[in-house]
Amino acid sequence: MPPSKRRPLPAGGVVSVAYDTEDPRETVLLGGERPGVDRAFMIAGALLVLVGMVLTVSLSRSR
């Protein structure tokens, strides 16, 4: 997670990092999860899928 106004990362500060031993190029900043943002994106995606389904059904019935 990049630094933000709420949680700045000061120069020289301690940061917990983990990596996958099978692919060490993939790193994760521990404690940087933002479940609220993830949940909002999932809900927005589900709503877009639902709107697409409704439009598809309504347009197919009008023909």
Side-chain angles (χ1 to χ4, degrees), residues 51-62:
V51 167
M53 290 170 53
V54 168
L55 286 173
T56 301
V57 170
S58 67
L59 290 176
S60 67
R61 286 187 181 180
S62 66

Side-chain angles (χ1 to χ4, degrees), residues 30-63:
L30 298 175
E33 297 85 8
R34 295 167 50 179
V37 174
D38 291 342
R39 193 168 292 123
F41 274 109
M42 288 189 307
I43 290 171
L47 286 173
L48 287 173
V49 169
L50 183 63
V51 167
M53 290 170 53
V54 168
L55 286 173
T56 301
V57 170
S58 67
L59 290 176
S60 67
R61 286 187 181 180
S62 66
R63 291 182 180 194

Side-chain angles (χ1 to χ4, degrees), residues 7-42:
R7 297 182 61 184
L9 296 175
V14 177
V15 177
S16 297
V17 177
Y19 68 95
D20 185 2
T21 55
E22 293 179 11
D23 185 10
R25 295 172 295 171
E26 188 69 33
T27 58
V28 178
L29 177 63
L30 298 175
E33 297 85 8
R34 295 167 50 179
V37 174
D38 291 342
R39 193 168 292 123
F41 274 109
M42 288 189 307

